[in-house]
Amino acid sequence: MSRVVALTGGIASGKSAVERRFEARGVRAYDADAAARAVVEPGSPALAEVARVFGPGTLDAEGRLDRPAMRQRVFDDPAARTTLEGILHPRIRDWLREAANADRGLYCILSIPLLAENHAHYAWVDRVLVVDAPEDLRVARLTRRDGIDEALARKMIAAQAPRERRLAIADDVIVNDGDEGQLDRQVQALHERYLARFAPG
């Protein structure tokens, strides 16, 4: 098993951009969003449980999870969101741990958007890296990226753990409020630090 850096950050903070930069340096990244898709593949126990709990309307015509419908449903109903997370999150954690166990690099990245909300379940990771950006900048990125209005963007941000809670669990922080070059330099500096920290012996 390689050493594990858990990567997190609020929506539109730039997690994916940071993840890509580590991958460009030969570090494997395993994404909780990919895990979330994998655990609800047709025929999976998780998908069967979601359909049983939430009803057949949660599946599309091909028998796959209807993600837009589910997203809308849990956004409007905190209890439904908690129920869905109770079904999916243990399986997502298992998927990520298995990926880390199988990785043969010096270290790997686990990209976990909701790490602050589930930090106790990831006590086994070696480092927590938080990508941080000011809220107004994240709102601007969200409205541009998703074509939504500012009110919805702020609602999406408010649905996650507050920035202070993420920063409280951070071992390392990347501030993503500048240009691409600034982001590259921060990732390179951390990569070098991790190589030194995790080197055997």
Side-chain angles (χ1 to χ4, degrees), residues 12 44 51 72 97 101 112 115 118 141 144 166 170 173 181 201:
S44 66
Q72 187 64 44
R97 187 149 199 175
N101 284 339
I112 309 170
L115 181 63
N118 297 278
R141 287 173 180 163
R144 186 170 61 245
R166 279 189 297 276
V173 177

Side-chain angles (χ1 to χ4, degrees), residues 163-184:
R163 181 185 186 189
E164 296 73 22
R165 190 166 157 198
R166 279 189 297 276
L167 291 173
I169 66 169
D171 296 301
D172 306 293
V173 177
I174 285 178
V175 180
N176 184 25
D177 62 356
D179 59 21
E180 301 276 325
Q182 180 189 14
L183 192 60
D184 275 329

Side-chain angles (χ1 to χ4, degrees), residues 106-155:
L106 186 58
Y107 76 97
C108 66
I109 298 284
L110 298 186
S111 184
I112 309 170
L114 301 180
L115 181 63
E117 293 88 337
N118 297 278
H119 187 225
H121 295 291
Y122 291 96
W124 50 274
V125 306
D126 295 288
R127 304 286 289 179
V128 172
L129 169 57
V130 172
V131 185
D132 189 42
E135 182 171 318
D136 286 346
L137 179 56
R138 293 165 58 207
V139 167
R141 287 173 180 163
L142 265 177
T143 54
R144 186 170 61 245
R145 185 188 80 187
D146 294 359
I148 59 177
D149 62 24
E150 180 180 335
L152 180 55
R154 291 195 185 276
K155 184 178 178 184

Side-chain angles (χ1 to χ4, degrees), residues 78-99:
R81 178 178 178 170
T82 300
T83 300
L84 181 65
E85 289 176 349
I87 295 169
L88 299 184
H89 283 191
R91 293 174 166 101
I92 291 168
R93 289 194 291 270
D94 288 346
W95 189 98
L96 289 169
R97 187 149 199 175
E98 287 171 14

Side-chain angles (χ1 to χ4, degrees), residues 30-112:
Y30 304 97
D31 198 304
D33 291 336
R37 288 189 292 274
V39 301
V40 292
E41 281 294 306
S44 66
L47 186 62
E49 188 173 349
V50 169
R52 180 177 58 77
V53 171
F54 290 96
T58 56
L59 305 182
D60 65 17
E62 296 175 350
R64 294 182 175 277
L65 184 65
D66 186 337
R67 292 181 177 281
M70 264 329 282
R71 192 177 301 121
Q72 187 64 44
R73 184 161 175 181
V74 302
F75 227 87
D76 294 336
D77 183 352
R81 178 178 178 170
T82 300
T83 300
L84 181 65
E85 289 176 349
I87 295 169
L88 299 184
H89 283 191
R91 293 174 166 101
I92 291 168
R93 289 194 291 270
D94 288 346
W95 189 98
L96 289 169
R97 187 149 199 175
E98 287 171 14
N101 284 339
D103 192 87
R104 292 294 171 259
L106 186 58
Y107 76 97
C108 66
I109 298 284
L110 298 186
S111 184
I112 309 170

